[in-house]
Amino acid sequence: MKKTLSAAAMLTALLLASSCDINEEFQGSLTPDQVSTGNAASLLDGVYTSMRSPFQGATQVFALSEVTTDERIMPTRAGDWDDNGVWRQLHLHTWDANHSQVRDAFANLGGVVFAANDVLRPEFNASVQQQAEARFLRAWAMYWTLDLFDQVPYREPGESVAANARVRKGTEALDYIISEVNAVLTNLPDGPAYRANKDAARGLLMKCYLNRGVYANRAAPTFAAADMNQVITLANQIINTGRYTFATNYFDNFAPDNTAIGTENIFTELNIGGVSSGAQFDLWRFISHYNMTPSGYNGPAALPGFYDKFGASDIRRGTVYTYKNGPANPGKRQNVGFLIGQQYNLTSGAPLTDRTGAPLAFTREVRIIETGANLEVTGIRPMKYPPDFTNNGAGTTDNDMVHLRLPDILLMKAEAILRGGTATAAGTYGATPLALVNSIRTHSSRNAGPLTSLDLTTLLDERGRELYLEQWRRQDMVRFGKFLSPGEQRTTTSDPKYLIFPIPNQQLAVNPNLTQNPGY
């Protein structure tokens, strides 16, 4: 029998092979035998693998969702991190339809949709659960395409790739995504977190209903009580499963063994240390200085205004973390969270220096273009994922990438009540927005202390403190009407066209059903 590789497997391999140069080598390719015999399980594994390219690491969806906000800046340090200005363009809101991160995010989100469609082709005889998982992952990628670009290309399973993909826009696309998730929810498993599961589906539906008004009018969204009540109902369903509890340590949710100890995690992407993973090491390698352990590329930083949103005792701002197979840290120096001030050798305890011999002491101050003698120390360095010392060298790290956590569910429920939904209790977290937020803040894993009052502005700040660098910041700032506001480095209000990204010119050239978004 003639053996051929499926289009999904080939596309996944090509997409990953063309991603950022520092990403690890693609692993886990399907064999011709697996695909030619219609092995739906192997094809479905390929869909999960295709998720790594757009979502894992510090480029693509992460870059579009974080570098464009008040959470992250990618300063050019003399010739380092210039990259033809792509990072500056994101932070300053000056990108266009040729931007490389915009192009790659659009293409690789489409790759997930393509791979999922391959599983759903009738000749592969996928089981009911396999079809449900593939349809959920397709809906997840479509949701992010909608959120970022407002246009979602699609084909039906088995439809010829020679035909131009059709396009759904705005609330039409949202309604389709909602209908798909509702259609498969009961056929999804209860877990684990690294598979498409019922609570991941409920969490995605919460995002859909919470943002429906945004996708109808991004410049001036309104929030219907019926949508907010859907958010609250779905949150209560997740809470009432009893499957999720606050982790012993906040950073356990992101640690190399977070499959086991990340008790808040609802939906993740499985990485297998030493075997197969996405580019999660970017999240510490990008920010670490060359002389730190693990060594890095001395790049992005946090803005001081965002750092100042945290209280001094808030563990989420940083703590001493015990690394699996990591250095002893004899001085018990802060080694995760926002790194500021003098840095130390975590094996000997000795203070580190930069490459000129000056103290390696990270400063609050940072500019979009750094010049002079301070290139290596400017900027607070945010390290949310504790490094995997065991597998860092190989690049196949064990930190599962986190999409949804229990605190996000609680914060969305609080927001839905503030926006007109009916308050109801579930679990031990309370029924009022203030009680829900304080259940997170006062837990020993945060130690942030209770708030005395809560409004939408304070809630946006709390979402930032809890969910920083988890790819929700841009979406949150758009929904709260803050995304276009001036910032520390961008001193003027941005053009409203930047509420969505342009359709990449390469995509417009090959699909006449796509139209350029207004203003680009």
Side-chain angles (χ1 to χ4, degrees):
M1 179 172 87
K2 184 177 180 181
K3 298 173 181 177
T4 58
L5 193 63
S6 80
M10 289 190 293
L11 180 64
T12 299
L14 288 170
L15 290 173
L16 290 176
S18 65
S19 61
C20 182
D21 292 341
I22 63 173
N23 289 355
E24 76 289 342
E25 181 181 356
F26 174 67
Q27 301 188 42
S29 299
L30 304 180
T31 67
D33 281 324
Q34 286 174 316
V35 177
S36 63
T37 56
N39 189 326
S42 296
L43 287 171
L44 182 58
D45 287 344
V47 187
Y48 283 99
T49 299
S50 74
M51 291 270 287
R52 291 173 174 171
S53 189
F55 291 112
Q56 292 200 36
T59 62
Q60 298 187 40
V61 171
F62 182 96
L64 272 56
S65 300
E66 297 291 349
V67 182
T68 59
T69 76
D70 61 347
E71 285 190 358
R72 190 173 181 91
I73 189 171
M74 304 280 280
T76 299
R77 302 178 187 275
D80 292 342
W81 291 98
D82 180 69
D83 296 337
N84 296 316
V86 294
W87 303 110
R88 293 194 301 276
Q89 289 162 10
L90 288 177
H91 195 72
L92 297 177
H93 294 187
T94 60
W95 60 78
D96 60 22
N98 290 313
H99 194 282
S100 59
Q101 311 286 10
V102 173
R103 176 198 67 209
D104 292 346
F106 189 96
N108 288 325
L109 287 168
V112 178
V113 174
F114 190 99
N117 269 349
D118 211 23
V119 178
L120 298 171
R121 286 164 54 186
E123 60 265 33
F124 291 131
N125 298 312
S127 70
V128 171
Q129 180 177 315
Q130 288 166 342
Q131 291 181 51
E133 290 185 50
R135 288 172 70 180
F136 171 79
L137 296 174
R138 183 177 64 177
W140 185 268
M142 285 182 167
Y143 175 76
W144 274 100
T145 306
L146 167 64
D147 186 73
L148 296 169
F149 299 98
D150 199 53
Q151 298 184 50
V152 184
Y154 71 96
R155 293 186 180 91
E156 297 302 326
E159 189 174 347
S160 172
V161 295
N164 293 318
R166 287 156 288 169
V167 176
R168 297 185 183 96
K169 297 183 179 181
T171 53
E172 178 194 5
L174 182 69
D175 289 342
Y176 174 78
I177 293 164
I178 291 172
S179 68
E180 276 289 281
V181 178
N182 278 322
V184 303
L185 195 154
T186 58
N187 293 320
L188 291 170
D190 291 331
Y194 55 79
R195 304 293 296 193
N197 62 76
K198 288 183 176 67
D199 290 332
R202 293 179 179 115
L204 177 54
L205 287 171
M206 291 178 69
K207 296 288 182 184
C208 289
Y209 289 118
L210 191 61
N211 288 284
R212 186 195 289 276
V214 176
Y215 304 140
N217 185 341
R218 298 188 188 233
T222 57
F223 302 90
D227 288 333
M228 299 303 101
N229 285 332
Q230 289 274 23
V231 173
I232 294 163
T233 297
L234 289 159
N236 291 346
Q237 291 172 0
I238 294 172
I239 293 165
N240 287 334
T241 66
R243 283 192 278 266
Y244 314 101
T245 58
F246 291 123
T248 302
N249 186 306
Y250 173 75
F251 293 100
D252 285 349
N253 297 296
F254 314 97
D257 49 353
N258 60 344
T259 300
I261 64 175
T263 57
E264 301 172 10
N265 292 338
I266 295 170
F267 183 43
T268 66
E269 291 183 36
L270 178 66
N271 290 325
I272 304 173
V275 177
S276 178
S277 78
Q280 283 302 90
F281 57 49
D282 284 357
L283 298 184
W284 59 81
R285 288 189 184 181
F286 270 34
I287 66 103
S288 294
H289 185 270
Y290 315 104
N291 293 342
M292 293 173 66
T293 303
S295 180
Y297 312 131
N298 196 47
L303 289 131
F306 185 79
Y307 175 80
D308 290 342
K309 294 181 185 297
F310 293 82
S313 66
D314 195 332
I315 291 172
R316 298 172 297 187
R317 193 175 79 167
T319 190
V320 178
Y321 194 80
T322 301
Y323 286 110
K324 183 179 181 180
N325 297 327
N329 191 10
K332 302 303 178 190
R333 308 293 184 181
Q334 179 190 325
N335 56 5
V336 72
F338 292 86
L339 306 181
I340 185 171
Q342 178 66 51
Q343 301 301 299
Y344 295 85
N345 184 307
L346 298 181
T347 299
S348 68
L352 290 171
T353 59
D354 65 17
R355 292 181 296 178
T356 71
L360 183 63
F362 295 139
T363 68
R364 287 174 50 87
E365 295 75 25
V366 64
R367 295 173 296 179
I368 195 72
I369 298 178
E370 289 289 1
T371 58
N374 62 351
L375 302 179
E376 298 184 25
V377 298
T378 49
I380 305 161
R381 309 304 170 88
M383 185 181 290
K384 185 147 194 183
Y385 280 73
D388 181 356
F389 283 89
T390 304
N391 301 295
N392 179 64
T396 47
T397 55
D398 201 39
N399 311 65
D400 292 352
M401 188 267 175
V402 177
H403 284 297
L404 286 171
R405 293 190 293 118
L406 171 65
D408 193 2
I409 304 304
L410 300 175
L411 291 169
M412 285 193 286
K413 179 180 177 181
E415 181 180 343
I417 297 170
L418 283 177
R419 294 193 187 277
T422 302
T424 58
T428 60
Y429 307 105
T432 68
L434 184 61
L436 289 161
V437 170
N438 281 337
S439 72
I440 302 168
R441 290 180 55 87
T442 60
H443 192 267
S444 59
S445 60
R446 276 74 173 171
N447 195 41
L451 298 174
T452 57
S453 62
L454 185 72
D455 57 16
L456 287 171
T457 299
T458 308
L459 182 60
L460 177 62
D461 286 345
E462 191 61 33
R463 286 190 62 82
R465 286 185 285 264
E466 179 62 33
L467 303 171
Y468 68 92
L469 303 185
E470 295 182 49
Q471 303 188 0
W472 298 115
R473 188 60 173 175
R474 172 198 160 275
Q475 182 183 110
D476 289 348
M477 295 187 79
V478 171
R479 188 171 66 255
F480 282 79
K482 301 295 185 182
F483 184 70
L484 302 176
S485 300
E488 294 175 60
Q489 296 291 312
R490 191 184 67 253
T491 57
T492 59
T493 299
S494 297
D495 190 303
K497 74 179 184 180
Y498 293 113
L499 291 169
I500 52 176
F501 290 94
I503 305 301
N505 284 332
Q506 297 91 335
Q507 299 289 335
L508 294 172
V510 298
N511 187 355
N513 292 328
L514 290 163
T515 57
Q516 189 53 274
N517 284 323
Y520 289 105

